[in-house]
Amino acid sequence: MEKAPQPTTGAQSQPQPQPAPPSNPPPAEATPNGAQPAPPAVMVVGVPPQQVPPPAWSTGLFECFDDPTTLIITFFAPCVTFGQVAEMVDQGRTSVGMFAALHFLIMYFTGCGCLLSAYFRIKMSHLYRLPDDPIINILVHLICEPCALCQEYRELQHRGFNMKLGVGWHNQSPEIQQTAGGAIVVPPAVPGGMSRSGIERKIGKGRGGGGAVAGGTSSGRDGGRTDE
């Protein structure tokens, strides 16, 4: 019986198929305390961080001579300027005359009218997001109340208020009242200058015409049924 021929050592063996890699990647190694490692931080290059400017008054405390008329009135009668400022900050709930009289009486009997004006400076700072350190605001009115009142007067002017004596809160424009948080709502503009009463009359006529058309339709149907 003949033996099968043996392969020679010089012959090249056929390549064996390689095993396919696993479809699912191996799980991430856990840290010693059992928590998963944090993902790497992603840094965005070229986008500067947004910086919010700090709150500040539009004019300085000692820029009183920019408005000499208000400075003179405030120096000799601070209750008048205080009444104008307080009426705007209080959004017209109390008139300028009542505030001026209250400041005059407190100043006359106690000499501490600056505490009342300091309270409204703090209230104004919260309302318009101005520097609202209460201690600084009180000290400003204790040391130099006329300069503080003039600064508040100019700040309201800078924000669009008409600060002329006798105008008051209720005569300000609706846009200014809305920016100050007022309760006035501006009605939508009607095209063509049409008033609300005119619109209501047109709606009433349209409803009447619709009723007449509906009546004619129903009568036509009844007539058709009669003919049948």
Side-chain angles (χ1 to χ4, degrees):
M1 185 174 182
E2 296 180 358
K3 294 182 180 180
Q6 298 294 331
T8 59
T9 56
Q12 296 180 355
S13 60
Q14 297 179 358
Q16 299 294 330
Q18 298 294 332
S23 58
N24 297 327
E29 297 182 359
T31 54
N33 57 0
Q36 295 294 332
V42 178
M43 299 182 63
V44 179
V45 181
V47 180
Q50 296 181 356
Q51 297 181 358
V52 179
W57 296 83
S58 60
T59 58
L61 180 63
F62 299 106
E63 297 180 11
C64 308
F65 293 96
D66 293 346
D67 188 359
T69 303
T70 304
L71 174 61
I72 294 173
I73 294 175
T74 308
F75 184 80
F76 290 101
C79 58
V80 176
T81 305
F82 166 75
Q84 293 177 276
V85 172
E87 182 186 11
M88 301 304 174
V89 174
D90 200 46
Q91 300 176 6
R93 297 181 181 91
T94 307
S95 64
V96 57
M98 292 294 295
F99 279 125
L102 181 61
H103 185 277
F104 174 79
L105 292 175
I106 294 176
M107 179 64 72
Y108 182 79
F109 288 104
T110 65
C112 297
C114 56
L115 296 179
L116 178 64
S117 58
Y119 166 76
F120 277 90
R121 183 182 180 91
I122 296 173
K123 187 175 181 179
M124 179 178 176
S125 300
H126 287 293
L127 185 62
Y128 294 108
R129 299 178 182 179
L130 297 168
D132 57 352
D133 189 346
I135 297 178
I136 298 298
N137 290 330
I138 292 174
L139 289 177
V140 165
H141 275 264
L142 285 174
I143 297 173
C144 189
E145 184 183 22
C147 294
L149 290 174
C150 289
Q151 185 186 30
E152 296 157 13
Y153 184 96
R154 294 192 306 271
E155 182 68 29
L156 292 173
Q157 276 187 328
H158 178 75
R159 294 179 180 273
F161 283 90
N162 186 353
M163 297 299 294
K164 292 182 179 179
L165 191 61
V167 176
W169 165 266
H170 297 288
N171 292 326
Q172 302 294 327
S173 64
E175 292 80 7
I176 296 300
Q177 290 177 340
Q178 284 182 338
T179 57
I184 293 180
V185 179
V186 181
V190 179
M194 186 180 298
S195 62
R196 181 178 178 182
S197 59
I199 295 176
E200 291 177 352
R201 286 196 298 269
K202 283 201 169 188
I203 292 175
K205 289 180 180 180
R207 290 177 179 176
V213 172
T217 305
S218 60
S219 61
R221 291 177 181 176
D222 295 340
R225 291 177 183 176
T226 307
D227 295 339
E228 291 176 358

